[in-house]
Amino acid sequence: MPVSLCGTWDMVNSVNLDGYMIGLGISLYTRKIALKLKHRKVIEKVGDRYVVKTLSTFRNYTFSFRVNEEFEEFTKGLDDRHCKSLVTWEGNKLVCIQKGEKKNRGWAHWMEDDKLHLELYCEDQVCKQVFKRVV
Ligand code: 1AG
């Protein structure tokens, strides 16, 4: 059984978020704002659904899903695109493929040394973020 990613997590490191946002076609103006933010992740399990919230002082993004069940994702407030998304466990990694206009789009979450890791993929870009648990 994979470890639980549930909890509240604060970003402590972020590498190449700008490249990821360029891949998504985000404007320079919005990228400048987004790069200054400290993101907080709140991951909850409600019944058999996960609810994932990315919170910041600028915008919030919340979505929910069941593992192994494709869903319609609208990335409201991010790049405002529609994707057909599918989240699965690959070993201890929670992996999402976001099919849509952008090639090679998705993300992966996993735990390592009590930290929550996130990789965000879009086109040829990879953003890597690390979060520590909020106690
Ligand atoms: C995601 O998490 C993305 C979460 O799907 C947001 C992370 C970075 C920002 C991404 C794109 C930037 C687009 C527009 C910038 C505008 C606002 C930035 C606000 C950022 C906070 C919402 C996947 C994963 C799911 O965590 O578990």
Side-chain angles (χ1 to χ4, degrees), residues 20-21 26 30 39 41 52 54 59 63 77-78 107 109 118:
Y20 172 75
M21 291 191 290
I26 305 300
T30 303
H39 301 195
K41 284 288 170 199
V52 180
T54 306
R59 280 179 199 163
F63 69 106
L78 300 178
W107 51 261
H109 265 303
L118 169 63

Side-chain angles (χ1 to χ4, degrees), residues 2-49:
V3 293
S4 174
L5 307 176
C6 294
T8 300
W9 305 87
D10 277 352
M11 194 175 82
V12 290
N13 197 41
S14 180
V15 175
N16 198 37
L17 178 59
D18 202 42
Y20 172 75
M21 291 191 290
I22 289 170
L24 288 174
I26 305 300
S27 73
L28 177 64
Y29 177 80
T30 303
R31 289 191 341 254
K32 293 271 186 211
I33 296 170
L35 284 175
K36 289 189 200 298
L37 302 171
K38 284 291 177 205
H39 301 195
R40 172 170 281 189
K41 284 288 170 199
V42 179
I43 302 178
E44 294 164 336
K45 192 108 185 271
V46 182
D48 60 354
R49 300 186 72 81

Side-chain angles (χ1 to χ4, degrees), residues 69-84:
E69 188 178 292
E70 191 173 71
F71 63 101
E72 303 283 333
E73 182 175 10
F74 176 54
T75 58
K76 185 175 164 57
L78 300 178
D79 62 321
D80 293 314
R81 283 194 178 85
H82 293 272
C83 303
K84 286 198 186 303

